[in-house]
Amino acid sequence: MGSFDNIMLGLDEAITGLFGQWNLYTSVIFTIFAGFLAYQIAARQDPDTHPLLLARQAQASPVRHEGESPVYRSQAAPHGMPLNTGLSVKDPGASKWARGRDGDLRDVWRQAVAGVQEDGPSKGATGRILTVLGTENVTEYPLDDITRQINLIGQHILDQGGNRVAIYLPNSVELIVTLFACAFYNMTAVILPFDQPDDAVISMLRRSAADTVVTAPGSFPFDIVVKNYPSLRQLIWVVDEGSKHMDWNEVPQGTGGSVNVSTWQDIVNDSPVDAGKELPPIEGQKEPRDVTIFWQPKPGIAEEMVRFTSANIMSAIAALLFSVPTSQRMGPSDLFLPADSLANTHTLVLTLGALYSNASVAFNSVAVQANDLAIATRGIAPTIIVATPAALLKTHQESGDSLTSLVARNLHWLQTRSLTQNGVMPVAGLLSSYYDRFRPALGSKPGKLRLIFTAERIGAETPRLSSTVLSDLRALAGARIMYALTAPKVAGAVTQTNFYDYRAFDDECSHFGPPLTSTEIMLKDTDEHKNTDALSKGEIFVRGPCVAGSEAALGVAGVIRDDNTLAYV
């Protein structure tokens, strides 16, 4: 008992001595320490995804052949399971447990019109289709009117003997309508990159054997094309509001009247009001035709023509939609803006995915060469955009120039640290509200943007984005960014970074993530790079249902990093 009393007596004296020496400085130190501890506990957030999911992002095959790396697949499409081939479209009346069809372009528009099918608060909701002209002129197109245009344009081209339809337009409703018209009326769509030299346009028409062209006045060299490409049989002008009063049906002298010229507006307006309101039935429909795309390499090199089957495109749509976590996928609450040319399959496939997801879609003609996102997003408040790397680099530079004060630089450091060190997307708060003044003007309502898609185009001399630049842009834009690797013969993308991958490294070009669920990749030996059991390095080859011809060599060397993501050597 004596020893216990001594212990208690010593403890009592220690406590008494501590509080006996308590003063103002002790109170300040204690308050700061307690406040810091409370803040750390209250502000602590779990990472958006488990770090182990980023440590090994693709699955390698258990064996490899000599001169090759293992075959790498997405963790969501492991070896032994089929790659993602389509959207699992279920026809009306089919059992909810039955496996759906892969679908085709016609199913994309049918879904856009039908609205959300799953039970829930958004059941039956549909997206809107918008055209943006300037800062205030935003036009909405009812879905029934677009269905009518699809039918009337498709039937007109078919009645005039059209078979292969070249679409030479900037991003617009008419481009998408013509694409769907070709799908519903069994014609081949040929999407030409817009704003090209005359000789390039003629060359693409010859190589694609197009007999019909849908284009806009002032951008298409009609006289030159007619003289140099006698196979042209039909031309449809898409005339803007200010030029409707002119006679666009006149055929230039010397053509012999061989080209049937009409305007989009006349075809639609001269038809009966009730004509074309119902889509052709599913029963008895023919197999869908191909879609021809021209891949634009670096200047001075002829475009590469690629024919994608409907199956290629549907597989790509399904894979890109699946790459976004379920809780973050596109839906009726989103406004999607393709701020890159729809002639690029990555942008086109994402736009078709947005339509299928019943998101609203805005078309802006300046987006064809949109290197200024502030201009491309004027007048609307997009939640998801597809942007070029050049546009993102310009945004990064302009926003970085505004971070001149000590407070701004430290706030930016805190934002990026939350991303790179904690794996957490910064949330709204007192500090972030002050940081908002330094954010780029992307849309009419700051804070609405939540996701940016961008892509490296192989062989096109696309500006490369480092992981540090991507991290800065995530903080500045307040949006996640998914960086993809795209190639001529691959619809959609070859690989794409993880939705929650915010890591930053010391690199000149970020990695491109793991394969999508529609692709598998391997690397083959070259003279400079050899594969070993410990290192996968060589020329990139890709296979899958979204690849034209099922397999393609990409012509560039890549390396598989320790986290099983693909990067340039």
Side-chain angles (χ1 to χ4, degrees):
M1 291 296 291
S3 61
F4 177 76
D5 291 339
N6 291 335
I7 293 173
M8 294 302 297
L9 180 61
L11 181 62
D12 181 66
E13 290 176 349
I15 295 174
T16 302
L18 174 65
F19 283 99
Q21 300 175 29
W22 195 276
N23 55 31
L24 177 63
Y25 298 105
T26 312
S27 300
V28 171
I29 293 172
F30 177 80
T31 302
I32 293 174
F33 177 76
F36 176 77
L37 184 63
Y39 173 78
Q40 291 296 321
I41 295 173
R44 185 182 180 278
Q45 291 179 281
D46 291 329
D48 289 347
T49 190
H50 198 286
L52 288 179
L53 295 178
L54 301 178
R56 190 55 57 94
Q57 298 189 35
Q59 184 183 88
S61 59
V63 297
R64 70 179 183 91
H65 297 290
E66 185 67 26
E68 299 177 356
S69 73
V71 177
Y72 292 89
R73 279 192 173 198
S74 166
Q75 295 281 18
H79 296 278
M81 299 292 290
L83 292 171
N84 200 337
T85 58
L87 290 168
S88 189
V89 178
K90 292 178 180 167
D91 296 326
S95 169
K96 65 181 297 184
W97 309 112
R99 186 183 185 280
R101 298 181 289 109
D102 288 340
D104 56 57
L105 286 176
R106 295 168 290 197
D107 295 301
V108 172
W109 185 249
R110 287 193 178 102
Q111 173 63 29
V113 174
V116 177
Q117 301 299 304
E118 292 81 7
D119 293 334
S122 61
K123 183 177 177 61
T126 59
R128 301 182 298 156
I129 308 295
L130 309 172
T131 292
V132 183
L133 300 172
T135 58
E136 298 180 356
N137 190 359
V138 179
T139 304
E140 181 175 349
Y141 294 80
L143 299 184
D144 290 343
D145 287 355
I146 295 181
T147 296
R148 183 171 180 267
Q149 292 184 45
I150 289 171
N151 285 319
L152 295 178
I153 296 298
Q155 190 63 57
H156 174 85
I157 295 174
L158 195 65
D159 291 344
Q160 298 297 323
N163 182 46
R164 302 181 64 82
V165 183
I167 308 170
Y168 188 61
L169 291 168
N171 289 7
S172 59
V173 172
E174 288 80 10
L175 189 156
I176 289 293
V177 166
T178 308
L179 179 64
F180 284 126
C182 291
F184 278 104
Y185 288 86
N186 200 37
M187 296 176 288
T188 298
V190 181
I191 302 179
L192 308 183
F194 190 66
D195 196 19
Q196 298 298 304
D198 295 351
D199 56 346
V201 174
I202 295 170
S203 172
M204 288 187 286
L205 291 175
R206 282 200 183 106
R207 290 155 61 196
S208 63
D211 52 55
T212 302
V213 173
V214 179
T215 186
S219 60
F220 184 73
F222 185 29
D223 295 352
I224 299 174
V225 170
V226 168
K227 291 178 181 178
N228 293 276
Y229 183 63
S231 298
L232 183 63
R233 291 289 174 264
Q234 187 175 180
L235 180 71
I236 298 178
W237 293 118
V238 179
V239 184
D240 59 35
E241 290 292 331
S243 304
K244 286 183 178 180
H245 64 283
M246 300 177 65
D247 183 10
W248 293 102
N249 297 314
E250 181 180 353
V251 180
Q253 294 182 356
T255 62
S258 59
V259 180
N260 180 286
V261 180
S262 54
T263 68
W264 186 286
Q265 287 74 11
D266 287 346
I267 296 171
V268 173
N269 296 334
D270 292 348
S271 300
V273 176
D274 295 331
K277 288 189 174 181
E278 297 293 331
L279 291 170
I282 298 176
E283 295 77 12
Q285 64 183 10
K286 297 181 180 179
E287 286 295 316
R289 299 278 289 273
D290 295 348
V291 176
T292 299
I293 301 289
F294 283 89
W295 176 271
Q296 286 184 282
K298 57 186 177 183
I301 299 179
E303 295 82 359
E304 180 177 352
M305 186 177 77
V306 185
R307 292 187 179 91
F308 289 109
T309 65
S310 178
N312 294 149
I313 294 175
M314 299 311 290
S315 173
I317 294 173
L320 283 172
L321 290 180
F322 190 82
S323 68
V324 179
T326 303
S327 62
Q328 301 289 339
R329 288 181 187 168
M330 288 185 276
S333 62
D334 284 308
L335 176 57
F336 178 90
L337 173 68
D340 190 11
S341 173
L342 289 172
N344 299 333
T345 60
H346 180 247
T347 310
L348 178 65
V349 165
L350 283 168
T351 304
L352 294 172
L355 290 171
Y356 187 81
S357 303
N358 297 111
S360 297
V361 179
F363 295 101
N364 189 338
S365 61
V366 304
V368 174
Q369 300 293 338
N371 288 334
D372 192 326
L373 290 180
I375 294 176
T377 58
R378 283 189 308 185
I380 55 173
T383 60
I384 302 173
I385 63 174
V386 185
T388 64
L392 292 178
L393 277 177
K394 182 177 181 181
T395 300
H396 178 262
Q397 180 179 357
E398 293 175 347
S399 300
D401 292 342
S402 67
L403 300 174
T404 55
S405 68
L406 180 63
V407 174
R409 291 195 300 271
N410 280 285
L411 283 176
H412 180 68
W413 178 81
L414 287 173
Q415 297 280 310
T416 55
R417 185 177 183 276
S418 175
L419 285 162
T420 59
Q421 300 298 318
N422 302 332
V424 177
M425 198 73 189
V427 296
L430 180 62
L431 292 178
S432 63
S433 61
Y434 180 81
Y435 184 70
D436 287 345
R437 69 184 63 187
F438 306 109
R439 298 186 189 276
L442 302 180
S444 57
K445 295 181 180 179
K448 291 274 288 183
L449 184 65
R450 69 180 185 89
L451 179 58
I452 299 173
F453 291 97
T454 189
E456 158 74 4
R457 290 168 51 81
I458 289 178
E461 296 186 343
T462 311
R464 296 177 180 178
L465 303 175
S466 70
S467 58
T468 302
V469 168
L470 290 174
S471 179
D472 287 343
L473 286 168
R474 290 186 184 100
L476 289 165
R480 295 177 173 90
I481 300 176
M482 302 183 79
Y483 192 25
L485 180 68
T486 59
K489 293 186 177 180
V490 181
V494 180
T495 62
Q496 184 174 254
T497 56
N498 190 293
F499 186 83
Y500 295 118
D501 192 350
Y502 316 138
R503 300 170 300 164
F505 304 92
D506 184 15
D507 52 31
E508 294 183 1
C509 181
S510 169
H511 68 85
F512 303 109
L516 295 171
T517 55
S518 61
T519 59
E520 60 181 24
I521 61 172
M522 66 176 175
L523 310 179
K524 293 188 178 181
D525 286 356
T526 66
D527 293 339
E528 298 180 4
H529 308 293
K530 304 296 181 182
N531 288 281
T532 66
D533 290 339
L535 179 65
S536 296
K537 181 186 291 187
E539 184 182 1
I540 306 170
F541 281 71
V542 57
R543 294 192 296 247
C546 69
V547 182
S550 297
E551 181 175 351
L554 303 190
V556 295
V559 61
I560 300 297
R561 295 158 27 107
D562 292 339
D563 56 2
N564 280 9
T565 58
L566 179 66
Y568 282 146
V569 174

